[in-house]
Amino acid sequence: MTDPVRADKAHCWHPFTRQSAWCDPAHEPLMIVRAEGVWLYDSKGNRYLDGNSSIWTNIHGHCRPEIAEAIAKQAATLDHSSYLGLGHPLASELAEKLVSFFPPHTLERVFFSDNGSTAVEAALKMSLQSRLQTGQGSRTRFLAFDNAYHGDTLGAASLGGVNRFFSRFRNLGFETEFIASTNDLKSVDPTTVTAVVIEPLIQGVNEMRPWPEGMLWDLREWTEKHGIHLILDEVMTGFGRTGTMFACQRENVIPDFLCLAKGLTGGTVPLAATLTTRAVYETFLGGAENAFYYGHSYTANPIGCAAALASLRIFETDKVLEGLPAKIAHLAACLEKLSATRNDMVAIRQCGLIAGMEFQAGMGDKITLAARNHGLLTRNILGTVVLMPPLCVSLEEIDFAMDALARA
Ligand SMILES: *Cc1c(COP(=O)(O)O)cnc(C)c1O
């Protein structure tokens, strides 16, 4: 039988990972073999609370029977069929469901793909191509925010403001101007900009930094005034993380493009969606030269659509959003309590069920590693320890996670 650690170190290549350290003989990687609810189990039988929602994907806990059954049923009925020139009922149902979260005739078209990067990539190309089809070919530039993260494919990465990831590829990809805040809009030439891209309410990879209240609204006003598309990257914030189904609903903003991925299937299988308006969509009608020549082999995969529909049904049956305020308030109280007992905590940041705890330099790695010994798996981003449990987390499980952090 294959020794999984040996084979991993011999043949696997992990994302965002220093492989020399990973493959060091002294490093004993965790092998996760099973999961249930908020708990992950390793090959040695240890259990850990999934404090990072398996890289921000999990929503209702792991292996929810309703989603697992929907996946199994779909896999036995129609596993995959091309979405190029063919349709299937679950994609139709899911598209109708997704647009139903917004007022009629706003976001009403859904383009499916596989992951957050491609959801953003599709929005960028749609924005650019729609300009060419409406006599606005001089709008070729994007605006993005310092320290933003929009994915790793080259187009999405060119909107990324995290220099340690993206600077070496900076002269490739789309032409992008970076701004720090809406104050910087004053100095932007709006006439050559096609779209502004932002993670609404909170930047994830930028150590969980929330934006000032009202900022998204201001940005929507500015983009409308100048005929610029607003692309909201809700790959992290979508599906209840911030307390509402989508972050943009907190400021009553409707974008021209909404990018969804991570939590779309409840965190089970890859699927993404780019929602857009009739106004954008209609610029792609007409001749063959106006079609959107973009797509992926697994676009609108039926198993993914089945999982997404099952996940959205759980939002209704479990009244997930209604249960969030109590959890969010409890998390806030716990964070407050922890910071009161420590003088090495630099800042606490919270948006919904997303928390970032910034510690003095060098402590983040040590805390997250030590937390494993107390039954909590999470990650730190530079000095900020992230706590972002699945939405199904109970108050007791929040206590458990905070206790593990305090001990760590
Ligand atoms: C994770 C993430 C992405 C990229 O999604 P992938 O599925 O990893 O390609 C894009 N934007 C934001 C805000 C994200 O958090």
Side-chain angles (χ1 to χ4, degrees), residues 56 115-117 149-151 199 233 235-236 262:
W56 316 346
N115 57 68
S117 309
Y149 180 82
H150 299 293
E199 300 155 86
D233 176 353
V235 172
M236 178 185 83
K262 290 189 171 108

Side-chain angles (χ1 to χ4, degrees), residues 174-195:
F174 296 118
E175 195 189 329
T176 304
E177 179 177 346
F178 288 93
I179 55 176
S181 71
T182 43
N183 292 335
D184 295 346
L185 292 173
K186 292 192 274 294
S187 59
V188 169
D189 168 14
T191 60
T192 56
V193 174
T194 182

Side-chain angles (χ1 to χ4, degrees), residues 261-278:
K262 290 189 171 108
L264 174 56
T265 61
T268 55
V269 291
L271 184 73
T274 306
L275 276 57
T276 191
T277 60
R278 176 181 301 189

Side-chain angles (χ1 to χ4, degrees), residues 205-225:
V205 173
N206 187 22
E207 302 173 77
M208 301 301 168
R209 272 176 224 280
W211 292 113
E213 219 177 293
M215 180 268 204
L216 193 59
W217 180 261
D218 293 344
L219 191 61
R220 176 74 281 192
E221 274 194 336
W222 185 84
T223 51
E224 258 172 12
K225 180 166 159 220

